[in-house]
Amino acid sequence: MRNDPLVQLLIEIHRHVDLLCEDLEQDRPDLADAIRTHAAWIPRPDDLLRGALPSTTQATVEQLGPLLYDALDEGLVDARQFDALMVERSAAARALDARDGQ
């Protein structure tokens, strides 16, 4: 489960969301709360590592695209982070397609 590209992507997204919210907590607690609420649908890393993936992982991967574009538009991630996360999202989608095709 730890080597699953989707799990790694979701863990990485949560890590970035948590770091961002920590930075915002002092100056903009309202924005930090809004970001946490917006990202709440993403399974927590502890749940992921226990194997509690959402039932429709393909749908989850597809939902990441718009979320990442929103994060880029809002300035929550820079272009380089965005590109890296989109590449990881694409890799996760390909891995899911390959797994479903077996």
Side-chain angles (χ1 to χ4, degrees):
M1 184 59 73
R2 291 179 189 266
N3 295 330
D4 186 333
L6 177 61
V7 171
Q8 293 306 315
L9 174 62
L10 294 174
I11 289 172
E12 186 69 14
I13 289 171
H14 260 294
R15 187 176 71 81
H16 285 288
V17 167
D18 289 342
L19 290 172
L20 175 65
C21 289
E22 286 176 21
D23 287 345
L24 290 172
E25 197 62 46
Q26 290 293 330
D27 299 325
R28 294 289 310 271
D30 59 324
L31 184 55
D33 289 341
I35 291 168
R36 285 187 186 106
T37 300
H38 193 67
W41 64 270
I42 303 170
R44 299 294 309 167
D46 293 342
D47 296 334
L48 291 167
L49 294 174
R50 283 196 315 266
L53 280 176
S55 58
T56 58
T57 53
Q58 188 65 38
T60 301
V61 170
E62 291 170 6
Q63 291 172 345
L64 287 176
L67 177 64
L68 292 174
Y69 278 106
D70 288 346
L72 180 66
D73 288 344
E74 295 295 325
L76 302 176
V77 296
D78 64 24
R80 199 172 83 203
Q81 291 171 319
F82 173 81
D83 289 343
L85 290 170
M86 287 299 281
V87 167
E88 290 182 30
R89 186 196 70 79
S90 295
R94 282 191 306 275
L96 286 172
D97 287 341
R99 183 182 70 187
D100 291 343
Q102 291 178 349

